[in-house]
Amino acid sequence: MFKKILIANRGEIALRIIRACHELGIETVAVYSSADELSLHVRFADEAVCIGPPPGSESYMNIPSILSAAELTNSDAIHPGYGFLAENPEFAQVCTDNDFVFIGPSAETILSMGEKATAKKSMNEAGVPVIPGSAGVINSVGEAQKIASEIGFPIMLKASAGGGGRGMRIVKETDQLERAFVTASSEAKSAFNNGDLYLEKYVEKSRHIEIQILADQYSNVIHLGERECSLQRRHQKLIEESPSPIIDEKLRQKIGSAAVQGAASIGYVGLGTVEFLFDSKSKEFYFMEMNTRIQVEHPVTEMVMGNDLVKMQIRLAVGEEIPSNLAQQKLRGHAMECRINAEDPSNDFIPSPAKVEEFYAPGGNGVRMDSHVYAGYEISPHYDSLIAKLIVHSEDRNTTINRMQRALEETIIEGPKTTIPFHQAIMQNSDFQAGNFHTGFLETFVYEE
Ligand code: MV4
Protein backbone atom coordinates (compact mmCIF):
# COMPACT_ATOMS: atom_id res chain seq x y z
CA MET A 1 0.00 0.00 0.00
CA PHE A 2 1.05 3.60 -0.53
CA LYS A 3 2.56 5.41 2.46
CA LYS A 4 1.64 8.91 1.36
CA ILE A 5 -0.78 10.36 -1.21
CA LEU A 6 -0.83 13.92 -2.47
CA ILE A 7 -4.32 15.19 -3.28
CA ALA A 8 -4.22 17.52 -6.27
CA ASN A 9 -7.60 19.07 -5.59
CA ARG A 10 -9.67 21.14 -3.16
CA GLY A 11 -13.16 21.35 -1.65
CA GLU A 12 -15.36 18.43 -0.72
CA ILE A 13 -13.59 15.92 -2.96
CA ALA A 14 -10.19 16.65 -1.38
CA LEU A 15 -11.78 15.94 2.03
CA ARG A 16 -13.46 12.81 0.67
CA ILE A 17 -10.09 11.49 -0.54
CA ILE A 18 -8.33 12.40 2.74
CA ARG A 19 -10.99 10.41 4.64
CA ALA A 20 -10.44 7.33 2.47
CA CYS A 21 -6.64 7.62 2.87
CA HIS A 22 -6.82 7.92 6.64
CA GLU A 23 -9.08 4.87 6.90
CA LEU A 24 -6.49 2.99 4.84
CA GLY A 25 -3.65 4.24 7.07
CA ILE A 26 -2.18 6.40 4.32
CA GLU A 27 -0.67 9.80 5.09
CA THR A 28 -2.02 12.75 3.13
CA VAL A 29 -0.59 15.87 1.56
CA ALA A 30 -2.94 18.72 0.68
CA VAL A 31 -2.02 21.32 -1.89
CA TYR A 32 -3.77 24.67 -1.78
CA SER A 33 -4.00 28.06 -3.41
CA SER A 34 -3.53 31.19 -1.32
CA ALA A 35 -7.36 31.56 -1.33
CA ASP A 36 -7.75 28.18 0.41
CA GLU A 37 -5.41 28.56 3.38
CA LEU A 38 -8.35 28.21 5.79
CA SER A 39 -9.96 25.30 3.94
CA LEU A 40 -10.71 22.04 5.72
CA HIS A 41 -8.68 19.96 3.26
CA VAL A 42 -5.62 21.88 4.45
CA ARG A 43 -6.59 21.38 8.08
CA PHE A 44 -7.39 17.65 7.81
CA ALA A 45 -4.37 16.63 5.73
CA ASP A 46 -1.16 15.57 7.51
CA GLU A 47 0.86 18.09 5.51
CA ALA A 48 -0.03 20.98 3.25
CA VAL A 49 1.85 22.86 0.56
CA CYS A 50 0.82 26.18 -0.99
CA ILE A 51 1.06 25.85 -4.76
CA GLY A 52 0.07 29.26 -6.06
CA PRO A 53 -2.36 32.16 -6.27
CA PRO A 54 -6.18 31.80 -6.28
CA PRO A 55 -6.91 31.18 -9.99
CA GLY A 56 -7.14 27.43 -10.61
CA SER A 57 -5.00 27.77 -13.73
CA GLU A 58 -2.11 29.00 -11.54
CA SER A 59 -2.57 26.60 -8.63
CA TYR A 60 -4.68 23.43 -8.88
CA MET A 61 -3.79 23.12 -12.55
CA ASN A 62 -0.16 24.13 -12.15
CA ILE A 63 1.63 20.89 -13.00
CA PRO A 64 5.21 21.96 -12.06
CA SER A 65 4.05 23.28 -8.66
CA ILE A 66 2.10 20.12 -7.87
CA LEU A 67 5.01 17.88 -8.84
CA SER A 68 7.40 19.96 -6.72
CA ALA A 69 5.03 19.52 -3.77
CA ALA A 70 4.94 15.76 -4.36
CA GLU A 71 8.74 15.68 -4.56
CA LEU A 72 9.20 17.84 -1.47
CA THR A 73 6.86 15.72 0.66
CA ASN A 74 8.11 12.40 -0.67
CA SER A 75 4.64 11.33 -1.79
CA ASP A 76 4.13 7.94 -3.47
CA ALA A 77 1.02 8.70 -5.46
CA ILE A 78 -1.15 11.58 -6.65
CA HIS A 79 -4.95 11.59 -6.54
CA PRO A 80 -6.42 14.15 -8.96
CA GLY A 81 -10.07 14.08 -7.75
CA TYR A 82 -12.45 15.48 -10.39
CA GLY A 83 -12.12 18.60 -12.54
CA PHE A 84 -8.76 20.44 -12.69
CA LEU A 85 -6.13 17.89 -13.87
CA ALA A 86 -8.20 14.73 -13.38
CA GLU A 87 -8.57 13.98 -17.09
CA ASN A 88 -5.42 15.62 -18.38
CA PRO A 89 -3.30 12.95 -20.12
CA GLU A 90 -0.10 15.04 -19.92
CA PHE A 91 -0.47 15.30 -16.15
CA ALA A 92 -0.99 11.53 -15.81
CA GLN A 93 2.11 10.97 -17.95
CA VAL A 94 4.31 13.47 -16.07
CA CYS A 95 3.32 11.86 -12.75
CA THR A 96 4.34 8.44 -14.05
CA ASP A 97 7.56 9.78 -15.61
CA ASN A 98 8.52 11.21 -12.20
CA ASP A 99 7.78 7.92 -10.41
CA PHE A 100 4.56 9.03 -8.76
CA VAL A 101 1.62 6.70 -9.22
CA PHE A 102 -1.23 8.58 -10.89
CA ILE A 103 -4.46 7.35 -9.29
CA GLY A 104 -6.43 6.83 -12.47
CA PRO A 105 -6.04 5.00 -15.76
CA SER A 106 -3.00 5.41 -18.05
CA ALA A 107 -2.33 8.64 -19.93
CA GLU A 108 -3.03 6.74 -23.14
CA THR A 109 -6.48 5.64 -21.93
CA ILE A 110 -7.34 9.16 -20.71
CA LEU A 111 -6.32 10.54 -24.10
CA SER A 112 -8.31 7.99 -26.09
CA MET A 113 -11.49 8.57 -24.05
CA GLY A 114 -10.95 12.35 -24.10
CA GLU A 115 -11.29 12.38 -27.89
CA LYS A 116 -15.02 11.72 -28.01
CA ALA A 117 -15.17 10.67 -31.68
CA THR A 118 -12.35 8.15 -31.13
CA ALA A 119 -13.95 6.87 -27.93
CA LYS A 120 -17.25 6.33 -29.73
CA LYS A 121 -15.48 4.49 -32.57
CA SER A 122 -13.67 2.16 -30.13
CA MET A 123 -16.92 1.38 -28.31
CA ASN A 124 -18.75 0.72 -31.57
CA GLU A 125 -15.99 -1.68 -32.62
CA ALA A 126 -16.31 -3.40 -29.23
CA GLY A 127 -20.00 -4.06 -29.91
CA VAL A 128 -21.34 -1.39 -27.55
CA PRO A 129 -24.44 0.30 -29.02
CA VAL A 130 -23.72 3.84 -30.26
CA ILE A 131 -26.03 6.54 -31.63
CA PRO A 132 -26.30 6.28 -35.45
CA GLY A 133 -24.10 8.87 -37.14
CA SER A 134 -20.62 9.48 -38.54
CA ALA A 135 -18.07 6.70 -38.04
CA GLY A 136 -15.65 9.21 -36.54
CA VAL A 137 -14.67 12.82 -37.19
CA ILE A 138 -16.38 14.41 -40.22
CA ASN A 139 -14.01 16.06 -42.65
CA SER A 140 -16.30 18.34 -44.66
CA VAL A 141 -19.73 19.92 -44.83
CA GLY A 142 -20.45 17.67 -47.80
CA GLU A 143 -19.76 14.58 -45.73
CA ALA A 144 -22.00 15.93 -42.95
CA GLN A 145 -24.81 16.56 -45.48
CA LYS A 146 -24.50 13.05 -46.85
CA ILE A 147 -24.65 11.35 -43.42
CA ALA A 148 -27.47 13.63 -42.24
CA SER A 149 -29.60 12.85 -45.27
CA GLU A 150 -29.07 9.14 -44.66
CA ILE A 151 -30.06 9.17 -40.98
CA GLY A 152 -32.55 12.06 -41.16
CA PHE A 153 -32.97 15.26 -39.13
CA PRO A 154 -32.79 16.43 -36.39
CA ILE A 155 -29.11 15.66 -35.94
CA MET A 156 -26.52 16.78 -33.45
CA LEU A 157 -23.04 18.08 -34.14
CA LYS A 158 -20.61 17.43 -31.31
CA ALA A 159 -17.06 18.63 -30.74
CA SER A 160 -14.72 15.66 -30.45
CA ALA A 161 -12.62 17.51 -27.88
CA GLY A 162 -15.73 18.68 -26.01
CA GLY A 163 -17.81 16.47 -23.78
CA GLY A 164 -20.17 17.03 -20.91
CA GLY A 165 -22.37 19.12 -23.17
CA ARG A 166 -19.72 21.60 -24.31
CA GLY A 167 -19.54 22.27 -28.05
CA MET A 168 -22.84 20.68 -29.10
CA ARG A 169 -25.44 21.86 -31.64
CA ILE A 170 -28.82 20.54 -32.65
CA VAL A 171 -29.52 20.92 -36.37
CA LYS A 172 -33.17 20.60 -37.38
CA GLU A 173 -32.99 20.80 -41.18
CA THR A 174 -30.60 20.53 -44.09
CA ASP A 175 -30.54 24.33 -44.77
CA GLN A 176 -29.04 24.99 -41.34
CA LEU A 177 -26.34 22.35 -41.52
CA GLU A 178 -23.59 24.23 -43.35
CA ARG A 179 -23.78 27.29 -41.09
CA ALA A 180 -23.95 25.13 -37.95
CA PHE A 181 -21.00 23.05 -39.10
CA VAL A 182 -18.77 26.08 -39.77
CA THR A 183 -19.63 27.92 -36.54
CA ALA A 184 -19.52 24.80 -34.34
CA SER A 185 -16.13 23.87 -35.76
CA SER A 186 -14.65 27.34 -35.24
CA GLU A 187 -16.08 27.50 -31.72
CA ALA A 188 -14.56 24.12 -30.92
CA LYS A 189 -11.27 25.29 -32.40
CA SER A 190 -11.13 28.34 -30.13
CA ALA A 191 -12.48 26.57 -27.02
CA PHE A 192 -10.50 23.31 -27.22
CA ASN A 193 -7.88 24.15 -29.84
CA ASN A 194 -9.40 21.33 -31.90
CA GLY A 195 -12.18 21.92 -34.42
CA ASP A 196 -13.01 18.24 -35.02
CA LEU A 197 -16.72 17.46 -35.10
CA TYR A 198 -18.77 14.29 -35.28
CA LEU A 199 -22.41 13.89 -36.11
CA GLU A 200 -25.24 11.81 -34.76
CA LYS A 201 -28.99 11.43 -34.85
CA TYR A 202 -30.61 13.64 -32.20
CA VAL A 203 -32.44 11.55 -29.63
CA GLU A 204 -35.44 13.40 -28.21
CA LYS A 205 -36.61 13.05 -24.59
CA SER A 206 -33.53 11.10 -23.63
CA ARG A 207 -32.28 10.18 -20.19
CA HIS A 208 -28.69 10.19 -18.93
CA ILE A 209 -27.82 6.85 -17.41
CA GLU A 210 -24.26 6.10 -16.37
CA ILE A 211 -22.63 2.87 -15.25
CA GLN A 212 -19.92 2.74 -12.58
CA ILE A 213 -17.19 0.31 -13.54
CA LEU A 214 -14.06 -1.03 -11.85
CA ALA A 215 -11.18 -2.74 -13.65
CA ASP A 216 -8.03 -4.25 -12.18
CA GLN A 217 -4.66 -5.05 -13.76
CA TYR A 218 -5.62 -8.72 -14.13
CA SER A 219 -8.37 -8.22 -16.73
CA ASN A 220 -11.23 -8.34 -14.22
CA VAL A 221 -13.87 -5.74 -15.04
CA ILE A 222 -17.11 -5.33 -13.09
CA HIS A 223 -19.96 -2.84 -12.95
CA LEU A 224 -21.73 -1.49 -9.87
CA GLY A 225 -25.04 -0.58 -11.45
CA GLU A 226 -26.28 2.72 -12.78
CA ARG A 227 -26.80 6.29 -11.72
CA GLU A 228 -29.71 8.30 -13.09
CA CYS A 229 -28.36 11.77 -13.94
CA SER A 230 -31.08 13.27 -16.13
CA LEU A 231 -31.81 16.15 -13.78
CA GLN A 232 -29.36 18.69 -15.13
CA ARG A 233 -29.51 22.38 -15.82
CA ARG A 234 -27.26 23.71 -18.57
CA HIS A 235 -25.29 20.48 -18.38
CA GLN A 236 -24.75 20.82 -14.65
CA LYS A 237 -26.18 17.87 -12.77
CA LEU A 238 -28.30 18.87 -9.79
CA ILE A 239 -29.85 15.61 -8.57
CA GLU A 240 -28.56 12.07 -9.09
CA GLU A 241 -29.95 8.78 -7.90
CA SER A 242 -29.31 5.07 -7.91
CA PRO A 243 -31.03 2.92 -9.04
CA SER A 244 -32.77 4.74 -11.90
CA PRO A 245 -36.57 4.61 -11.55
CA ILE A 246 -36.83 3.35 -15.15
CA ILE A 247 -34.25 0.56 -15.10
CA ASP A 248 -35.20 -2.97 -14.04
CA GLU A 249 -32.73 -5.72 -13.14
CA LYS A 250 -32.72 -7.20 -16.64
CA LEU A 251 -31.96 -3.87 -18.33
CA ARG A 252 -29.39 -3.07 -15.63
CA GLN A 253 -27.46 -6.21 -16.46
CA LYS A 254 -27.75 -5.49 -20.18
CA ILE A 255 -26.39 -1.92 -19.95
CA GLY A 256 -23.89 -2.97 -17.27
CA SER A 257 -22.54 -5.75 -19.49
CA ALA A 258 -22.19 -3.33 -22.40
CA ALA A 259 -20.16 -0.97 -20.18
CA VAL A 260 -17.97 -3.83 -18.94
CA GLN A 261 -17.43 -5.09 -22.48
CA GLY A 262 -16.48 -1.60 -23.67
CA ALA A 263 -14.02 -1.02 -20.83
CA ALA A 264 -12.49 -4.48 -21.23
CA SER A 265 -12.01 -3.96 -24.98
CA ILE A 266 -9.74 -0.96 -24.43
CA GLY A 267 -7.78 -2.60 -21.60
CA TYR A 268 -9.17 -0.15 -19.06
CA VAL A 269 -7.59 -0.23 -15.59
CA GLY A 270 -9.03 1.67 -12.64
CA LEU A 271 -12.38 3.16 -11.74
CA GLY A 272 -14.46 4.75 -14.47
CA THR A 273 -17.93 5.70 -15.63
CA VAL A 274 -19.56 4.86 -18.92
CA GLU A 275 -22.27 7.35 -19.88
CA PHE A 276 -25.26 6.22 -21.88
CA LEU A 277 -28.08 8.06 -23.52
CA PHE A 278 -31.33 6.20 -22.92
CA ASP A 279 -34.19 6.70 -25.35
CA SER A 280 -37.35 6.73 -23.19
CA LYS A 281 -39.54 5.93 -26.20
CA SER A 282 -37.69 3.02 -27.83
CA LYS A 283 -35.99 1.86 -24.60
CA GLU A 284 -32.71 1.65 -26.52
CA PHE A 285 -29.46 2.77 -24.89
CA TYR A 286 -26.37 4.17 -26.55
CA PHE A 287 -22.79 4.88 -25.46
CA MET A 288 -22.07 8.61 -25.14
CA GLU A 289 -18.78 9.17 -23.32
CA MET A 290 -16.49 7.53 -20.83
CA ASN A 291 -15.22 9.45 -17.80
CA THR A 292 -11.90 8.30 -16.42
CA ARG A 293 -12.21 10.03 -13.03
CA ILE A 294 -14.08 9.63 -9.75
CA GLN A 295 -17.31 11.54 -10.26
CA VAL A 296 -19.10 14.06 -8.07
CA GLU A 297 -22.11 11.74 -7.76
CA HIS A 298 -20.17 8.59 -6.77
CA PRO A 299 -21.75 8.52 -3.25
CA VAL A 300 -25.15 7.35 -4.52
CA THR A 301 -23.48 4.20 -5.82
CA GLU A 302 -21.59 3.79 -2.54
CA MET A 303 -24.81 3.99 -0.52
CA VAL A 304 -26.68 1.34 -2.52
CA MET A 305 -23.69 -0.93 -3.09
CA GLY A 306 -22.30 -0.58 0.44
CA ASN A 307 -18.70 0.10 -0.56
CA ASP A 308 -16.10 2.87 -0.71
CA LEU A 309 -15.25 3.80 -4.29
CA VAL A 310 -12.31 6.05 -3.41
CA LYS A 311 -10.69 3.27 -1.38
CA MET A 312 -11.32 0.90 -4.30
CA GLN A 313 -9.74 3.39 -6.68
CA ILE A 314 -6.63 3.60 -4.49
CA ARG A 315 -6.43 -0.20 -4.16
CA LEU A 316 -6.70 -0.62 -7.93
CA ALA A 317 -3.87 1.91 -8.40
CA VAL A 318 -1.65 -0.08 -6.01
CA GLY A 319 -2.28 -3.13 -8.17
CA GLU A 320 -4.70 -5.06 -5.98
CA GLU A 321 -7.20 -7.45 -7.50
CA ILE A 322 -10.95 -6.70 -7.36
CA PRO A 323 -12.28 -8.68 -4.36
CA SER A 324 -14.47 -11.53 -5.62
CA ASN A 325 -17.40 -10.61 -3.34
CA LEU A 326 -17.69 -7.14 -4.87
CA ALA A 327 -19.31 -8.26 -8.13
CA GLN A 328 -21.79 -10.39 -6.14
CA GLN A 329 -22.90 -7.39 -4.06
CA LYS A 330 -26.64 -6.83 -4.36
CA LEU A 331 -28.15 -3.41 -4.84
CA ARG A 332 -29.76 -2.33 -1.57
CA GLY A 333 -32.50 0.31 -1.38
CA HIS A 334 -32.42 3.69 -3.05
CA ALA A 335 -29.99 6.61 -2.78
CA MET A 336 -30.28 10.21 -3.96
CA GLU A 337 -27.90 13.16 -3.99
CA CYS A 338 -28.80 16.86 -4.09
CA ARG A 339 -25.98 19.19 -5.06
CA ILE A 340 -26.07 22.23 -2.82
CA ASN A 341 -24.47 25.07 -4.73
CA ALA A 342 -23.82 28.64 -3.59
CA GLU A 343 -26.05 29.96 -6.36
CA ASP A 344 -29.30 31.90 -6.49
CA PRO A 345 -31.98 29.65 -8.02
CA SER A 346 -34.44 32.56 -8.29
CA ASN A 347 -31.92 34.61 -10.27
CA ASP A 348 -30.79 32.26 -13.05
CA PHE A 349 -28.48 30.36 -10.67
CA ILE A 350 -25.90 33.14 -10.56
CA PRO A 351 -23.04 32.27 -8.21
CA SER A 352 -23.39 33.62 -4.70
CA PRO A 353 -19.94 33.47 -3.13
CA ALA A 354 -20.16 34.84 0.40
CA LYS A 355 -19.09 34.21 3.94
CA VAL A 356 -20.99 31.32 5.54
CA GLU A 357 -22.45 32.87 8.68
CA GLU A 358 -24.23 29.79 10.00
CA PHE A 359 -23.87 26.15 9.07
CA TYR A 360 -25.64 23.08 10.31
CA ALA A 361 -25.38 19.74 8.53
CA PRO A 362 -28.39 17.41 8.75
CA GLY A 363 -28.09 13.95 10.24
CA GLY A 364 -30.09 10.96 11.32
CA ASN A 365 -30.72 7.62 9.74
CA GLY A 366 -29.57 7.30 6.12
CA VAL A 367 -28.29 10.89 5.82
CA ARG A 368 -24.80 11.77 4.62
CA MET A 369 -23.44 15.21 3.93
CA ASP A 370 -20.12 15.59 2.09
CA SER A 371 -19.01 19.19 2.49
CA HIS A 372 -15.92 21.28 3.12
CA VAL A 373 -17.90 24.19 4.51
CA TYR A 374 -18.16 25.42 8.12
CA ALA A 375 -19.51 28.49 9.91
CA GLY A 376 -17.11 31.35 9.20
CA TYR A 377 -15.88 29.83 5.92
CA GLU A 378 -15.47 32.31 3.09
CA ILE A 379 -16.68 30.87 -0.26
CA SER A 380 -14.20 31.93 -2.93
CA PRO A 381 -15.43 33.23 -6.28
CA HIS A 382 -12.49 31.50 -7.98
CA TYR A 383 -13.87 27.96 -7.99
CA ASP A 384 -17.07 26.08 -8.78
CA SER A 385 -20.04 26.76 -6.55
CA LEU A 386 -20.56 23.27 -5.10
CA ILE A 387 -20.53 23.65 -1.30
CA ALA A 388 -22.18 20.43 -0.14
CA LYS A 389 -23.57 17.15 -1.38
CA LEU A 390 -26.56 15.90 0.56
CA ILE A 391 -26.89 12.15 0.08
CA VAL A 392 -29.83 10.20 1.43
CA HIS A 393 -30.40 6.44 1.50
CA SER A 394 -33.39 4.29 2.46
CA GLU A 395 -35.18 1.11 1.47
CA ASP A 396 -37.09 2.60 -1.48
CA ARG A 397 -37.42 5.70 -3.67
CA ASN A 398 -40.50 7.21 -1.98
CA THR A 399 -38.95 6.92 1.46
CA THR A 400 -35.72 8.42 0.13
CA ILE A 401 -37.58 11.43 -1.33
CA ASN A 402 -39.40 11.87 1.98
CA ARG A 403 -36.14 11.62 3.90
CA MET A 404 -34.46 14.08 1.51
CA GLN A 405 -37.21 16.61 2.23
CA ARG A 406 -36.65 16.16 5.95
CA ALA A 407 -32.86 16.54 5.56
CA LEU A 408 -33.15 19.61 3.31
CA GLU A 409 -35.50 21.11 5.88
CA GLU A 410 -32.98 20.79 8.70
CA THR A 411 -29.95 22.00 6.71
CA ILE A 412 -28.94 25.51 7.75
CA ILE A 413 -26.66 27.54 5.50
CA GLU A 414 -26.76 31.28 6.14
CA GLY A 415 -24.79 33.79 4.08
CA PRO A 416 -24.80 32.69 0.47
CA LYS A 417 -27.94 31.94 -1.54
CA THR A 418 -28.14 28.19 -2.17
CA THR A 419 -29.95 25.66 -4.33
CA ILE A 420 -31.72 24.18 -1.26
CA PRO A 421 -35.14 25.81 -1.95
CA PHE A 422 -34.92 24.64 -5.58
CA HIS A 423 -34.33 21.05 -4.42
CA GLN A 424 -37.30 21.35 -2.07
CA ALA A 425 -39.51 22.38 -5.01
CA ILE A 426 -38.29 19.45 -7.12
CA MET A 427 -38.91 16.95 -4.31
CA GLN A 428 -42.54 18.10 -4.28
CA ASN A 429 -43.05 17.84 -8.05
CA SER A 430 -45.40 15.01 -9.03
CA ASP A 431 -43.58 14.12 -12.28
CA PHE A 432 -40.30 13.90 -10.38
CA GLN A 433 -41.97 11.77 -7.71
CA ALA A 434 -43.35 9.46 -10.41
CA GLY A 435 -39.89 9.12 -12.00
CA ASN A 436 -41.33 10.74 -15.09
CA PHE A 437 -38.62 13.09 -16.42
CA HIS A 438 -35.91 13.43 -19.06
CA THR A 439 -32.81 15.55 -19.65
CA GLY A 440 -34.90 18.60 -20.64
CA PHE A 441 -36.99 18.51 -17.42
CA LEU A 442 -35.10 21.15 -15.41
CA GLU A 443 -34.80 23.54 -18.36
CA THR A 444 -38.60 23.90 -18.37
CA PHE A 445 -39.18 23.50 -14.64
CA VAL A 446 -40.66 26.74 -13.33
CA TYR A 447 -39.19 27.72 -10.01
CA GLU A 448 -40.48 30.64 -8.00
CA GLU A 449 -39.35 31.61 -4.57
C1 MV4 B 1 -27.20 13.94 -27.14
C2 MV4 B 1 -28.54 14.26 -26.90
C3 MV4 B 1 -29.47 13.82 -27.82
N1 MV4 B 1 -29.08 13.12 -28.91
N2 MV4 B 1 -26.86 13.26 -28.24
C4 MV4 B 1 -25.33 16.32 -23.44
C5 MV4 B 1 -24.10 15.97 -22.67
C6 MV4 B 1 -23.25 15.16 -23.58
N3 MV4 B 1 -22.61 14.09 -22.88
C7 MV4 B 1 -24.19 14.68 -24.64
N4 MV4 B 1 -25.44 15.34 -24.44
C8 MV4 B 1 -26.52 15.03 -25.21
N5 MV4 B 1 -26.24 14.30 -26.31
C9 MV4 B 1 -27.80 12.88 -29.10
N6 MV4 B 1 -27.42 12.21 -30.20
C10 MV4 B 1 -28.87 14.98 -25.76
C11 MV4 B 1 -27.85 15.41 -24.92
C12 MV4 B 1 -28.25 16.23 -23.82
C13 MV4 B 1 -28.13 15.78 -22.52
C14 MV4 B 1 -27.60 14.54 -22.23
C15 MV4 B 1 -27.47 14.11 -20.94
C16 MV4 B 1 -27.91 14.93 -19.91
C17 MV4 B 1 -28.42 16.18 -20.16
C18 MV4 B 1 -28.53 16.62 -21.47
C19 MV4 B 1 -29.09 17.87 -21.72
C20 MV4 B 1 -29.20 18.29 -23.00
C21 MV4 B 1 -28.78 17.48 -24.05
Side-chain angles (χ1 to χ4, degrees):
M1 187 43 79
F2 302 124
K3 274 217 190 73
K4 198 188 269 190
I5 293 177
L6 179 142
I7 297 117
N9 215 300
R10 65 179 301 285
E12 70 83 21
I13 195 63
L15 272 185
R16 171 70 190 84
I17 298 162
I18 290 170
R19 288 174 172 145
C21 289
H22 287 171
E23 288 185 16
L24 289 170
I26 301 167
E27 286 176 65
T28 53
V29 179
V31 293
Y32 63 99
S33 76
S34 53
D36 276 341
E37 215 179 317
L38 300 176
S39 282
L40 288 186
H41 78 286
V42 173
R43 192 146 144 197
F44 289 169
D46 301 296
E47 291 169 78
V49 182
C50 184
I51 51 165
S57 57
E58 296 170 52
S59 51
Y60 299 103
M61 292 178 75
N62 184 337
I63 297 177
S65 281
I66 293 168
L67 283 177
S68 303
E71 203 84 55
L72 183 81
T73 54
N74 206 11
S75 298
D76 304 310
I78 299 180
H79 197 305
Y82 54 69
F84 298 122
L85 297 171
E87 287 170 294
N88 181 320
E90 286 86 37
F91 181 59
Q93 191 58 53
V94 180
C95 289
T96 308
D97 291 346
N98 286 277
D99 294 325
F100 300 113
V101 175
F102 176 80
I103 302 177
S106 69
E108 193 194 349
T109 296
I110 298 171
L111 182 66
S112 70
M113 292 299 106
E115 285 171 8
K116 306 302 172 189
T118 315
K120 184 180 172 185
K121 212 168 164 186
S122 311
M123 292 302 153
N124 185 31
E125 282 162 12
V128 180
V130 298
I131 304 168
S134 60
V137 171
I138 354 167
N139 297 302
S140 66
V141 179
E143 198 186 334
Q145 288 286 14
K146 185 165 174 287
I147 300 163
S149 65
E150 281 163 19
I151 62 173
F153 288 88
I155 60 104
M156 215 168 191
L157 290 172
K158 296 184 175 181
S160 186
R166 297 172 313 154
M168 300 189 330
R169 263 220 183 30
I170 302 173
V171 185
K172 297 210 166 105
E173 51 193 300
T174 190
D175 300 355
Q176 298 166 355
L177 186 57
E178 176 161 10
R179 225 182 107 89
F181 185 91
V182 173
T183 55
S185 180
S186 78
E187 270 176 33
K189 177 81 186 141
S190 56
F192 316 118
N193 197 29
N194 175 354
D196 289 350
L197 300 179
Y198 62 108
L199 182 155
E200 50 192 38
K201 177 94 188 154
Y202 178 67
V203 181
E204 266 154 297
K205 305 229 153 94
S206 57
R207 291 175 84 123
H208 174 131
I209 302 288
E210 58 185 36
I211 302 283
Q212 180 68 59
I213 65 119
L214 295 175
D216 65 23
Q217 296 175 13
Y218 316 97
S219 304
N220 302 301
V221 187
I222 65 165
H223 75 85
L224 298 173
E226 81 282 5
R227 291 188 288 262
E228 163 71 64
C229 303
S230 301
L231 294 178
Q232 314 194 355
R233 206 188 146 272
R234 303 200 180 149
H235 302 296
Q236 291 297 317
K237 294 170 188 159
L238 270 160
I239 299 170
E240 306 96 345
E241 54 185 301
S242 184
S244 165
I246 52 151
I247 307 264
D248 61 19
E249 189 54 30
K250 195 169 153 226
L251 190 52
R252 175 170 304 116
Q253 292 318 323
K254 207 170 153 198
I255 307 179
S257 302
V260 165
Q261 190 181 320
S265 78
I266 58 165
Y268 196 89
V269 176
L271 167 154
T273 298
V274 186
E275 287 184 10
F276 291 94
L277 198 70
F278 183 80
D279 186 338
S280 316
K281 238 159 115 198
S282 69
K283 310 271 180 239
E284 299 286 339
F285 62 90
Y286 307 98
F287 170 83
M288 265 202 308
E289 294 176 14
M290 179 162 193
N291 302 320
T292 58
R293 60 176 188 273
I294 185 86
Q295 293 195 229
V296 175
E297 60 271 25
H298 75 274
V300 295
T301 300
E302 294 184 322
M303 302 318 282
V304 292
M305 298 307 289
N307 57 23
D308 185 317
L309 290 172
V310 178
K311 280 190 194 170
M312 279 311 308
Q313 192 184 24
I314 293 168
R315 290 194 167 114
L316 293 173
V318 181
E320 287 184 22
E321 206 173 330
I322 293 171
S324 56
N325 62 328
L326 209 65
Q328 266 73 63
Q329 201 76 33
K330 281 269 171 293
L331 168 70
R332 202 191 123 248
H334 196 100
M336 190 174 285
E337 170 178 280
C338 286
R339 294 194 192 187
I340 300 174
N341 298 331
E343 293 171 356
D344 184 356
S346 54
N347 190 8
D348 204 29
F349 290 79
I350 60 160
S352 178
K355 183 170 179 176
V356 176
E357 301 292 351
E358 258 198 282
F359 185 82
Y360 177 76
N365 205 357
V367 177
R368 164 177 175 185
M369 177 108 121
D370 281 18
S371 173
H372 59 294
V373 166
Y374 55 88
Y377 177 79
E378 193 83 57
I379 299 167
S380 168
H382 291 281
Y383 312 108
D384 74 33
S385 57
L386 181 73
I387 53 170
K389 303 191 305 202
L390 176 53
I391 307 116
V392 159
H393 182 221
S394 83
E395 60 276 17
D396 60 50
R397 189 168 187 269
N398 287 340
T399 312
T400 291
I401 292 171
N402 186 51
R403 182 167 283 172
M404 183 64 87
Q405 287 175 295
R406 188 271 290 170
L408 286 165
E409 187 71 31
E410 66 184 57
T411 304
I412 300 172
I413 303 176
E414 296 294 342
K417 293 263 196 282
T418 77
T419 49
I420 291 174
F422 185 82
H423 287 302
Q424 289 174 310
I426 300 281
M427 293 301 136
Q428 285 163 26
N429 178 276
S430 56
D431 282 326
F432 169 74
Q433 290 176 352
N436 179 21
F437 51 82
H438 56 84
T439 52
F441 183 83
L442 288 191
E443 314 293 343
T444 57
F445 182 79
V446 183
Y447 168 75
E448 276 157 0
E449 210 169 359

